[in-house]
Amino acid sequence: MDTRQQRGEAVADMIDKVRAVERDRGVTPDALDAIKGLLVELAGRRELFPLGDFPVNEEDGTGVIYRLAEDADHRFALYASAGAPGKSVPPHNHTTWAVIVGVHGDEHNVFYERVDDGSVPGRGEVRPSGEFTVTHGTGVTLMPDDIHSVHVTGDSPTVHLHLYGLALEQLHQRIMFDTAEGTCKVCPAPQNIRPA
């Protein structure tokens, strides 16, 4: 059995367990911690996620997303997010739960809290509330309204696993924040998603 087949089987097994966690425990911080444990276990099998299987080419800019799994109803979508040094994503929410764990390299997350009440269209002020660098063997969890930014630190390319309660292309109400301007806007779904 080749790496791709082994990876597919391991991913399918993990997703089955994740479905059961959400079914039995709902979407809570504790449930997401349990899901994170399952995802960290999968990421521990680094041989299933070689860097060469998830290249970031020149036309990709600083990052590309590879789809590893997605249910027919677009639930339980797993991606390998590959990043080049310098990749940075401004503060944003997801509108669904998310779990991110490290496979290769460091992905620095800064967490934010929103300080305005959202009543003025286009205004959106956030302030940092914490940070954590996701590396191999670690991860972070995000509830639907949690806000974070992502930064690839160091000189090495990264591959991290990103698991969402709903596929990225279905997240039409995500909000991205401009911290310098104190503004926010709905951000379109990523377009650089490929099959793994």
mmCIF file of all heavy atoms in Angstrom, residues 50-78:
data_model
loop_
_atom_site.group_PDB
_atom_site.id
_atom_site.type_symbol
_atom_site.label_atom_id
_atom_site.label_comp_id
_atom_site.label_asym_id
_atom_site.label_seq_id
_atom_site.Cartn_x
_atom_site.Cartn_y
_atom_site.Cartn_z
ATOM 1 N N PRO A 50 4.483 13.617 3.944
ATOM 2 C CA PRO A 50 5.795 14.144 3.548
ATOM 3 C C PRO A 50 5.657 15.512 2.884
ATOM 4 O O PRO A 50 4.686 15.766 2.153
ATOM 5 C CB PRO A 50 6.313 13.086 2.566
ATOM 6 C CG PRO A 50 5.094 12.389 2.058
ATOM 7 C CD PRO A 50 4.095 12.422 3.175
ATOM 8 N N LEU A 51 6.616 16.380 3.147
ATOM 9 C CA LEU A 51 6.571 17.732 2.583
ATOM 10 C C LEU A 51 6.413 17.709 1.072
ATOM 11 O O LEU A 51 5.721 18.540 0.495
ATOM 12 C CB LEU A 51 7.839 18.496 2.962
ATOM 13 C CG LEU A 51 7.887 19.077 4.374
ATOM 14 C CD1 LEU A 51 9.293 19.555 4.706
ATOM 15 C CD2 LEU A 51 6.885 20.213 4.520
ATOM 16 N N GLY A 52 7.047 16.727 0.416
ATOM 17 C CA GLY A 52 6.990 16.659 -1.041
ATOM 18 C C GLY A 52 5.604 16.427 -1.607
ATOM 19 O O GLY A 52 5.351 16.744 -2.775
ATOM 20 N N ASP A 53 4.689 15.905 -0.791
ATOM 21 C CA ASP A 53 3.315 15.681 -1.253
ATOM 22 C C ASP A 53 2.469 16.951 -1.214
ATOM 23 O O ASP A 53 1.356 16.972 -1.747
ATOM 24 C CB ASP A 53 2.630 14.611 -0.394
ATOM 25 C CG ASP A 53 3.043 13.194 -0.778
ATOM 26 O OD1 ASP A 53 3.971 13.043 -1.601
ATOM 27 O OD2 ASP A 53 2.447 12.244 -0.240
ATOM 28 N N PHE A 54 2.995 18.000 -0.581
ATOM 29 C CA PHE A 54 2.215 19.227 -0.386
ATOM 30 C C PHE A 54 3.055 20.453 -0.749
ATOM 31 O O PHE A 54 3.350 21.301 0.089
ATOM 32 C CB PHE A 54 1.730 19.316 1.073
ATOM 33 C CG PHE A 54 0.989 18.077 1.518
ATOM 34 C CD1 PHE A 54 1.621 17.108 2.283
ATOM 35 C CD2 PHE A 54 -0.324 17.877 1.144
ATOM 36 C CE1 PHE A 54 0.946 15.960 2.682
ATOM 37 C CE2 PHE A 54 -1.014 16.731 1.530
ATOM 38 C CZ PHE A 54 -0.374 15.769 2.303
ATOM 39 N N PRO A 55 3.445 20.548 -2.009
ATOM 40 C CA PRO A 55 4.333 21.652 -2.401
ATOM 41 C C PRO A 55 3.619 23.000 -2.447
ATOM 42 O O PRO A 55 2.413 23.076 -2.682
ATOM 43 C CB PRO A 55 4.796 21.235 -3.798
ATOM 44 C CG PRO A 55 3.662 20.407 -4.330
ATOM 45 C CD PRO A 55 3.116 19.660 -3.135
ATOM 46 N N VAL A 56 4.393 24.042 -2.211
ATOM 47 C CA VAL A 56 3.954 25.410 -2.449
ATOM 48 C C VAL A 56 4.771 25.905 -3.628
ATOM 49 O O VAL A 56 5.968 26.141 -3.512
ATOM 50 C CB VAL A 56 4.173 26.314 -1.221
ATOM 51 C CG1 VAL A 56 3.725 27.748 -1.533
ATOM 52 C CG2 VAL A 56 3.429 25.775 -0.013
ATOM 53 N N ASN A 57 4.125 26.007 -4.783
ATOM 54 C CA ASN A 57 4.827 26.417 -5.999
ATOM 55 C C ASN A 57 4.842 27.937 -6.137
ATOM 56 O O ASN A 57 4.110 28.642 -5.436
ATOM 57 C CB ASN A 57 4.162 25.775 -7.220
ATOM 58 C CG ASN A 57 4.201 24.259 -7.151
ATOM 59 O OD1 ASN A 57 5.228 23.665 -6.843
ATOM 60 N ND2 ASN A 57 3.064 23.626 -7.409
ATOM 61 N N GLU A 58 5.650 28.409 -7.051
ATOM 62 C CA GLU A 58 5.803 29.859 -7.214
ATOM 63 C C GLU A 58 4.462 30.549 -7.469
ATOM 64 O O GLU A 58 4.183 31.616 -6.922
ATOM 65 C CB GLU A 58 6.773 30.139 -8.365
ATOM 66 C CG GLU A 58 7.180 31.588 -8.457
ATOM 67 C CD GLU A 58 8.269 31.817 -9.498
ATOM 68 O OE1 GLU A 58 9.008 30.876 -9.819
ATOM 69 O OE2 GLU A 58 8.352 32.958 -9.981
ATOM 70 N N GLU A 59 3.606 29.917 -8.262
ATOM 71 C CA GLU A 59 2.314 30.538 -8.574
ATOM 72 C C GLU A 59 1.345 30.524 -7.391
ATOM 73 O O GLU A 59 0.294 31.176 -7.430
ATOM 74 C CB GLU A 59 1.667 29.852 -9.786
ATOM 75 C CG GLU A 59 1.275 28.400 -9.571
ATOM 76 C CD GLU A 59 2.379 27.397 -9.919
ATOM 77 O OE1 GLU A 59 3.561 27.797 -10.019
ATOM 78 O OE2 GLU A 59 2.043 26.205 -10.075
ATOM 79 N N ASP A 60 1.691 29.791 -6.335
ATOM 80 C CA ASP A 60 0.827 29.699 -5.160
ATOM 81 C C ASP A 60 1.045 30.847 -4.179
ATOM 82 O O ASP A 60 0.308 30.955 -3.192
ATOM 83 C CB ASP A 60 1.071 28.381 -4.416
ATOM 84 C CG ASP A 60 0.758 27.163 -5.252
ATOM 85 O OD1 ASP A 60 -0.222 27.216 -6.018
ATOM 86 O OD2 ASP A 60 1.505 26.173 -5.154
ATOM 87 N N GLY A 61 2.033 31.675 -4.433
ATOM 88 C CA GLY A 61 2.357 32.707 -3.451
ATOM 89 C C GLY A 61 2.991 32.070 -2.227
ATOM 90 O O GLY A 61 3.935 31.296 -2.349
ATOM 91 N N THR A 62 2.436 32.366 -1.048
ATOM 92 C CA THR A 62 3.033 31.841 0.176
ATOM 93 C C THR A 62 2.281 30.653 0.771
ATOM 94 O O THR A 62 2.663 30.167 1.836
ATOM 95 C CB THR A 62 3.141 32.946 1.245
ATOM 96 O OG1 THR A 62 1.834 33.482 1.486
ATOM 97 C CG2 THR A 62 4.097 34.046 0.810
ATOM 98 N N GLY A 63 1.216 30.196 0.099
ATOM 99 C CA GLY A 63 0.510 29.070 0.679
ATOM 100 C C GLY A 63 -0.499 28.436 -0.247
ATOM 101 O O GLY A 63 -0.968 29.054 -1.203
ATOM 102 N N VAL A 64 -0.802 27.185 0.037
ATOM 103 C CA VAL A 64 -1.822 26.452 -0.707
ATOM 104 C C VAL A 64 -2.456 25.443 0.250
ATOM 105 O O VAL A 64 -1.827 25.005 1.221
ATOM 106 C CB VAL A 64 -1.221 25.757 -1.959
ATOM 107 C CG1 VAL A 64 -0.206 24.700 -1.572
ATOM 108 C CG2 VAL A 64 -2.300 25.170 -2.843
ATOM 109 N N ILE A 65 -3.714 25.109 -0.007
ATOM 110 C CA ILE A 65 -4.473 24.212 0.864
ATOM 111 C C ILE A 65 -4.823 22.957 0.075
ATOM 112 O O ILE A 65 -5.341 23.034 -1.042
ATOM 113 C CB ILE A 65 -5.753 24.902 1.363
ATOM 114 C CG1 ILE A 65 -5.393 26.171 2.154
ATOM 115 C CG2 ILE A 65 -6.584 23.963 2.218
ATOM 116 C CD1 ILE A 65 -6.569 27.072 2.426
ATOM 117 N N TYR A 66 -4.534 21.802 0.656
ATOM 118 C CA TYR A 66 -4.826 20.513 0.024
ATOM 119 C C TYR A 66 -5.957 19.838 0.796
ATOM 120 O O TYR A 66 -5.868 19.651 2.009
ATOM 121 C CB TYR A 66 -3.585 19.616 0.044
ATOM 122 C CG TYR A 66 -2.483 20.115 -0.863
ATOM 123 C CD1 TYR A 66 -1.524 21.002 -0.398
ATOM 124 C CD2 TYR A 66 -2.413 19.696 -2.187
ATOM 125 C CE1 TYR A 66 -0.512 21.467 -1.230
ATOM 126 C CE2 TYR A 66 -1.399 20.153 -3.021
ATOM 127 C CZ TYR A 66 -0.458 21.033 -2.541
ATOM 128 O OH TYR A 66 0.548 21.495 -3.360
ATOM 129 N N ARG A 67 -7.013 19.465 0.080
ATOM 130 C CA ARG A 67 -8.156 18.798 0.711
ATOM 131 C C ARG A 67 -7.827 17.317 0.921
ATOM 132 O O ARG A 67 -7.504 16.592 -0.013
ATOM 133 C CB ARG A 67 -9.397 18.928 -0.162
ATOM 134 C CG ARG A 67 -10.669 18.386 0.468
ATOM 135 C CD ARG A 67 -11.867 18.350 -0.480
ATOM 136 N NE ARG A 67 -11.826 19.371 -1.505
ATOM 137 C CZ ARG A 67 -12.214 20.642 -1.335
ATOM 138 N NH1 ARG A 67 -12.681 21.019 -0.173
ATOM 139 N NH2 ARG A 67 -12.146 21.504 -2.324
ATOM 140 N N LEU A 68 -7.950 16.878 2.164
ATOM 141 C CA LEU A 68 -7.707 15.478 2.510
ATOM 142 C C LEU A 68 -8.994 14.700 2.703
ATOM 143 O O LEU A 68 -9.035 13.496 2.481
ATOM 144 C CB LEU A 68 -6.861 15.388 3.785
ATOM 145 C CG LEU A 68 -5.457 15.982 3.706
ATOM 146 C CD1 LEU A 68 -4.821 16.015 5.096
ATOM 147 C CD2 LEU A 68 -4.585 15.175 2.750
ATOM 148 N N ALA A 69 -10.060 15.385 3.133
ATOM 149 C CA ALA A 69 -11.340 14.704 3.370
ATOM 150 C C ALA A 69 -12.447 15.747 3.473
ATOM 151 O O ALA A 69 -12.198 16.885 3.887
ATOM 152 C CB ALA A 69 -11.290 13.884 4.660
ATOM 153 N N GLU A 70 -13.640 15.338 3.075
ATOM 154 C CA GLU A 70 -14.828 16.177 3.226
ATOM 155 C C GLU A 70 -16.046 15.295 3.029
ATOM 156 O O GLU A 70 -16.133 14.567 2.048
ATOM 157 C CB GLU A 70 -14.827 17.318 2.198
ATOM 158 C CG GLU A 70 -16.026 18.240 2.290
ATOM 159 C CD GLU A 70 -15.996 19.325 1.222
ATOM 160 O OE1 GLU A 70 -14.902 19.693 0.761
ATOM 161 O OE2 GLU A 70 -17.093 19.782 0.827
ATOM 162 N N ASP A 71 -16.984 15.355 3.967
ATOM 163 C CA ASP A 71 -18.205 14.567 3.838
ATOM 164 C C ASP A 71 -19.054 15.091 2.678
ATOM 165 O O ASP A 71 -18.896 16.231 2.238
ATOM 166 C CB ASP A 71 -19.015 14.630 5.131
ATOM 167 C CG ASP A 71 -18.441 13.736 6.225
ATOM 168 O OD1 ASP A 71 -17.350 13.161 6.030
ATOM 169 O OD2 ASP A 71 -19.090 13.616 7.285
ATOM 170 N N ALA A 72 -19.976 14.269 2.218
ATOM 171 C CA ALA A 72 -20.834 14.643 1.081
ATOM 172 C C ALA A 72 -21.657 15.892 1.389
ATOM 173 O O ALA A 72 -21.981 16.663 0.483
ATOM 174 C CB ALA A 72 -21.757 13.480 0.715
ATOM 175 N N ASP A 73 -21.971 16.118 2.672
ATOM 176 C CA ASP A 73 -22.746 17.307 3.054
ATOM 177 C C ASP A 73 -21.823 18.467 3.445
ATOM 178 O O ASP A 73 -22.265 19.434 4.052
ATOM 179 C CB ASP A 73 -23.716 16.977 4.186
ATOM 180 C CG ASP A 73 -23.011 16.495 5.453
ATOM 181 O OD1 ASP A 73 -21.758 16.366 5.461
ATOM 182 O OD2 ASP A 73 -23.708 16.246 6.458
ATOM 183 N N HIS A 74 -20.541 18.346 3.106
ATOM 184 C CA HIS A 74 -19.518 19.377 3.332
ATOM 185 C C HIS A 74 -19.087 19.497 4.787
ATOM 186 O O HIS A 74 -18.356 20.433 5.134
ATOM 187 C CB HIS A 74 -19.959 20.742 2.794
ATOM 188 C CG HIS A 74 -20.403 20.708 1.364
ATOM 189 N ND1 HIS A 74 -19.564 20.338 0.343
ATOM 190 C CD2 HIS A 74 -21.606 20.968 0.803
ATOM 191 C CE1 HIS A 74 -20.222 20.390 -0.796
ATOM 192 N NE2 HIS A 74 -21.466 20.756 -0.552
ATOM 193 N N ARG A 75 -19.492 18.565 5.625
ATOM 194 C CA ARG A 75 -19.070 18.588 7.027
ATOM 195 C C ARG A 75 -17.705 17.905 7.157
ATOM 196 O O ARG A 75 -17.244 17.196 6.285
ATOM 197 C CB ARG A 75 -20.079 17.828 7.901
ATOM 198 C CG ARG A 75 -21.499 18.339 7.915
ATOM 199 C CD ARG A 75 -21.792 19.552 8.794
ATOM 200 N NE ARG A 75 -20.927 19.777 9.928
ATOM 201 C CZ ARG A 75 -21.025 19.173 11.118
ATOM 202 N NH1 ARG A 75 -21.958 18.278 11.362
ATOM 203 N NH2 ARG A 75 -20.194 19.475 12.091
ATOM 204 N N PHE A 76 -17.073 18.100 8.310
ATOM 205 C CA PHE A 76 -15.846 17.406 8.696
ATOM 206 C C PHE A 76 -14.799 17.450 7.579
ATOM 207 O O PHE A 76 -14.365 16.428 7.061
ATOM 208 C CB PHE A 76 -16.150 15.968 9.124
ATOM 209 C CG PHE A 76 -17.159 15.910 10.233
ATOM 210 C CD1 PHE A 76 -18.466 15.544 9.974
ATOM 211 C CD2 PHE A 76 -16.816 16.274 11.520
ATOM 212 C CE1 PHE A 76 -19.422 15.518 10.988
ATOM 213 C CE2 PHE A 76 -17.756 16.257 12.548
ATOM 214 C CZ PHE A 76 -19.060 15.880 12.286
ATOM 215 N N ALA A 77 -14.417 18.661 7.232
ATOM 216 C CA ALA A 77 -13.457 18.871 6.142
ATOM 217 C C ALA A 77 -12.046 18.995 6.722
ATOM 218 O O ALA A 77 -11.793 19.826 7.598
ATOM 219 C CB ALA A 77 -13.820 20.122 5.360
ATOM 220 N N LEU A 78 -11.159 18.153 6.214
ATOM 221 C CA LEU A 78 -9.766 18.146 6.672
ATOM 222 C C LEU A 78 -8.865 18.591 5.537
ATOM 223 O O LEU A 78 -8.992 18.119 4.404
ATOM 224 C CB LEU A 78 -9.358 16.740 7.131
ATOM 225 C CG LEU A 78 -7.898 16.585 7.576
ATOM 226 C CD1 LEU A 78 -7.615 17.415 8.838
ATOM 227 C CD2 LEU A 78 -7.576 15.111 7.808
#
